[in-house]
Every structure is written in structure tokens, then in C-alpha cells.
Amino acid sequence: MNADLVFDPVSEELLPSGRDENSWAESILINTGKSFRWQKKHLAIIGLTEERGSLRNHGVAAAADAVREQLYRLKKGSGSYNIVDMGNLRNGVNIQDTYDRLRMVCEALMQKKIVPIIIGGSHDLDLGQYAAYESTGRLISVVNVDAKIDVEEKNKEDLSASHIHQLLTYKPNYLFNFNHLAYQSYLNSAMALEILETLYFEAYSVGQMRNDFNEVEPVVRQGDMLSFDISSIKMNDAPGNVHAPAMGLHAEEASQICWFAGLSSKLSSIGFYEYNPVFDERRKTASLIAIMIWYFVEGFYHRVPEHDFQGNAFMKYVVSALDNSSNMVFFKHKVTQKWWMEVPYPNEVAGKQKTITIPCSYKDYITANQGEVPDRWINTYAKLI
């Protein structure tokens, strides 16, 4: 990928005046129009200026630069930063061209084990983020954070209201799991929830999340990509969206989700969409998104490898079934204290791989010990049939 052909450089006017060696601006490589190498980085920022997919939230084209202005002024975290800001992706002739360009860029980055951090534009652009996984040749899981479940039938005028419908019906189908966080019941029809339930996908309202926020962590940990609509955050904390709700996620909760995402060694891309500076009082939303990115990056640099379930890093727990059927197997990492559980493939579809190991919580382990099968186990098993 020749970045000079598809990216516009970052304006030097966005850089802080005065040199501060501890600032973000001094800790990362920024495309300012000079030749730069992106291939050996850990993380790459991609700004988006495409807004043709949003019918009512015009102004999101300016989001990336507004966030950069706040982000560059933050202090560097504790990680050994190896980050590049690629600049703003040039829009295509039509919106499908922009999707394809984002797909191409994310593909190129992920092939080099670089995590894209996408900022700006309308929420339908996560279709380009999602399409980048097609070339991996494997099933993936998506985590979507949004006050609305955008499963309306395809609408050419407001693609951001139907992008989840397009994602769920995308061909070829390589979507194994879809989890929706922070929906608000009064903004969604019962049909939207029924669609996800029929597919054995899960949706969590703001209220459900707030009852036990620790249960959000394994949901995020299961995702390969995370798509974050800023309209999921309440208006007082993030007014920069024409649809900003009176109630929603708190700023601290949004940042916590990004921390969970950063810590997850499985998650390989994240996008922040629908921020509109036109409505952003005192740049509160831009500042919050910058902080959310800061927490994601800080989590990334605290990642711990957690894949060798047969190694010494894990404790194995076997829960005997009350009806003498097959046991349930759980794993707990000795350092991170995170939990996983095995789900067997049905006999008729089992090949060389007999089980799949998915993230879970301590509460799932307790549920199994009480003789009940966790919902997470049931929904996963149903998708394996």
C-alpha cells in the first residue's frame, strides 16, 4: 500500500505550539506530508471525512481533525509507543469506493499485525472495517456500541441507519458472533432485538451493563473488531452528535469499554464514528474521544498473551454435570484472573477441532456450579450446529 496515494497529511496547524516531549504529538509518527514508514508500527490512526452515509448528522467530516487537536495534547502513557497517524483517508468517487479504500487500508495494516484506530465519519463506514476481515479466511466476532440497533432495511439515503442489516447479510458470511452494547429500549423496536435473538446474537442495554459492568469485559474480549457510535454516550458527556441522547453511557463507562478493548489480545481494529463537531459544546466530545483512545492504547500496551490454555499460565476447572452428561470445562488465567470456557462442537459437525474456547466470566462458572448452563454457552453452541 502506498499511503501517499490514499491519505491526505495532517495539517501542522493541529500540532501543539511549543515542544513537550511527554505529549502524544511528540510520541508518535505523524504524516505531515513528508515521506514516512508505517510498516513496523503497532497501531495506526486513520482519519475519515466521509459523511455521505449519514442523512441527518452532516458535519462528521470534520471529526478526525477535531479529535486530533485534543489527542495530541494528552500526555503519553506508560507504553513504549510505536504509533503512526496516517492522516485522513481520501474519499472515493462514491461511498462504496470509500468503503473499499478503508477495507484495503485496514487489510494492509492487519496483515502487518498493526491495529487500525479509525476516527470520524458516519457509522456505516464500519462496513469497510468489517470487510477487511474477509481476506483472513476465518470466522470473526463483532462488538458494536450504539444506542440504536441499526437493522433497518437498506436505505440509500441514510446508510448509517441500516449498516448492521448490511453487516449481518454481508456475502460471503464470515460473522460468527455479534454483540451489541448500550442499546436503549425506547429507541429500538422489538423487531430489532428479535432479529439478533433469532441469530443467537446478544444485545445488552445500558441498564443491564450498569447492573454489573464487569460482565461487559468478556463480551468485549470476544470481539475481533469494535465499532463505537458516539451517540451511545449521554448528551451531558458527549453533546457532539445530532442524535445525542439525554441518557446513555457515562464518559467513564465509555472509557472503560475502550480499556477492555485495548487489553484484549484478540481485538485487531477499533472505530469511533458519528462524532459531529458542529454540536460539540466546548469540544467536550472531542476531548472524551481522545481520552477513550488514550485508554485503548494504554490497554494495548498492557496486553498479556492468553491463548495457550494447556500451558502453566492457566488453572483448569472441570464442573460435573448434575445429569451425568458431559462436563463443563473452564480456564482462569493466573495473572489476569480472566475466565474462558470450552464449548463442544456437536458430534455431527465436529472435525479435527472438538471444542471452541470462548471468553466468559466468573459468574458463568458459578452458574455452571449451580447446575445451570450459562446463556453464553447455549448461544455459542447454537451457532456451532
Side-chain angles (χ1 to χ4, degrees):
M1 177 184 69
N2 187 337
D4 293 334
L5 297 179
V6 291
F7 283 96
D8 289 322
V10 175
S11 171
E12 294 192 13
E13 295 179 358
L14 297 174
L15 303 179
S17 58
R19 186 179 178 86
D20 181 355
E21 294 183 356
N22 293 315
S23 72
W24 249 71
E26 295 294 335
S27 303
I28 69 173
L29 175 64
I30 301 173
N31 172 15
T32 56
K34 302 173 184 178
S35 179
F36 69 100
R37 294 181 63 84
W38 55 268
Q39 290 86 347
K40 295 184 179 181
K41 301 300 180 182
H42 299 149
L43 301 156
I45 295 172
I46 301 169
L48 299 181
T49 61
E50 178 65 79
E51 63 179 13
R52 285 173 287 186
S54 180
L55 182 63
R56 301 178 182 88
N57 200 28
H58 286 291
V60 295
D65 284 351
V67 172
R68 284 188 177 100
E69 195 170 6
Q70 302 297 319
L71 181 61
Y72 288 168
R73 287 163 172 74
L74 297 182
K75 299 298 183 183
K76 174 184 176 295
S78 60
S80 54
Y81 281 22
N82 190 11
I83 305 169
V84 60
D85 188 335
M86 306 282 286
N88 290 335
L89 185 70
R90 292 173 186 157
N91 294 334
V93 175
N94 55 52
I95 196 165
Q96 184 59 50
D97 287 340
T98 306
Y99 295 160
D100 293 340
R101 287 187 181 187
L102 181 57
R103 168 185 178 161
M104 176 196 70
V105 170
C106 289
E107 266 185 4
L109 291 170
M110 292 191 294
Q111 286 171 0
K112 299 287 187 181
K113 308 298 183 184
I114 303 170
V115 177
I117 303 174
I118 304 162
I119 310 171
S122 51
H123 203 178
D124 57 293
L125 292 167
D126 69 352
L127 292 170
Q129 180 186 358
Y130 175 72
Y133 288 89
E134 183 178 338
S135 62
T136 65
R138 60 182 178 84
L139 298 175
I140 72 159
S141 297
V142 173
V143 179
N144 187 58
V145 187
D146 196 343
K148 295 181 179 179
I149 304 172
D150 298 316
V151 291
E152 294 180 12
E153 291 293 333
K154 190 172 182 180
N155 185 332
K156 292 182 179 180
E157 293 183 347
D158 195 3
L159 297 173
S160 62
S162 63
H163 68 108
I164 297 303
H165 172 79
Q166 295 181 65
L167 191 150
L168 296 179
T169 58
Y170 186 92
K171 299 296 182 183
N173 177 27
Y174 48 91
L175 181 64
F176 176 71
N177 195 44
F178 178 89
N179 283 317
H180 191 105
L181 295 176
Y183 81 87
Q184 298 189 42
S185 299
Y186 46 83
L187 297 177
N188 294 278
S189 66
M191 180 197 70
L193 291 167
E194 289 170 3
I195 289 173
L196 297 186
E197 186 177 348
T198 300
L199 296 169
Y200 298 102
F201 296 151
E202 296 180 47
Y204 302 82
S205 69
V206 173
Q208 289 172 317
M209 294 167 64
R210 203 162 281 158
N211 282 338
D212 188 353
F213 212 82
N214 288 327
E215 289 297 301
V216 175
E217 188 278 328
V219 176
V220 175
R221 184 162 29 110
Q222 192 169 8
D224 293 275
M225 67 167 266
L226 190 147
S227 177
F228 207 122
D229 190 315
I230 298 305
S231 68
S232 60
I233 306 170
K234 69 175 185 174
M235 186 185 300
N236 284 350
D237 289 351
N241 184 286
V242 71
H243 305 295
M247 294 190 291
L249 292 172
H250 298 315
E252 294 83 359
E253 293 166 338
S255 299
Q256 184 74 59
I257 291 171
C258 294
W259 169 253
F260 290 154
L263 287 173
S264 172
S265 56
K266 185 184 181 188
L267 192 131
S268 53
S269 73
I270 187 169
F272 300 90
Y273 303 99
E274 293 290 343
Y275 163 51
N276 192 337
V278 172
F279 301 97
D280 197 13
E281 174 193 350
R282 298 180 63 187
R283 289 294 187 261
K284 289 169 66 175
T285 314
S287 178
L288 173 57
I289 296 171
I291 292 169
M292 290 163 66
I293 294 170
W294 189 95
Y295 272 105
F296 173 77
V297 171
E298 193 71 359
F300 176 87
Y301 283 109
H302 281 81
R303 286 185 173 183
V304 175
E306 298 171 317
H307 297 299
D308 183 13
F309 296 104
Q310 305 307 318
N312 293 328
F314 286 89
M315 292 287 292
K316 182 177 180 180
Y317 299 83
V318 179
V319 179
S320 300
L322 295 178
D323 59 359
N324 294 320
S325 61
S326 58
N327 298 326
M328 296 188 68
V329 178
F330 290 83
F331 298 95
K332 183 178 76 169
H333 196 278
K334 294 177 182 177
V335 174
T336 66
Q337 301 294 297
K338 294 176 183 176
W339 287 81
W340 283 259
M341 65 180 170
E342 281 187 356
V343 180
Y345 279 87
N347 292 331
E348 60 271 20
V349 298
K352 292 182 179 179
Q353 185 177 353
K354 301 297 183 182
T355 62
I356 181 174
T357 305
I358 64 168
C360 70
S361 66
Y362 177 64
K363 185 176 288 186
D364 292 315
Y365 173 68
I366 295 299
T367 298
N369 271 281
Q370 294 173 343
E372 300 178 23
V373 180
D375 290 341
R376 212 185 309 267
W377 191 101
I378 294 171
N379 286 333
T380 302
Y381 185 80
K383 290 193 283 283
L384 296 175
I385 295 175

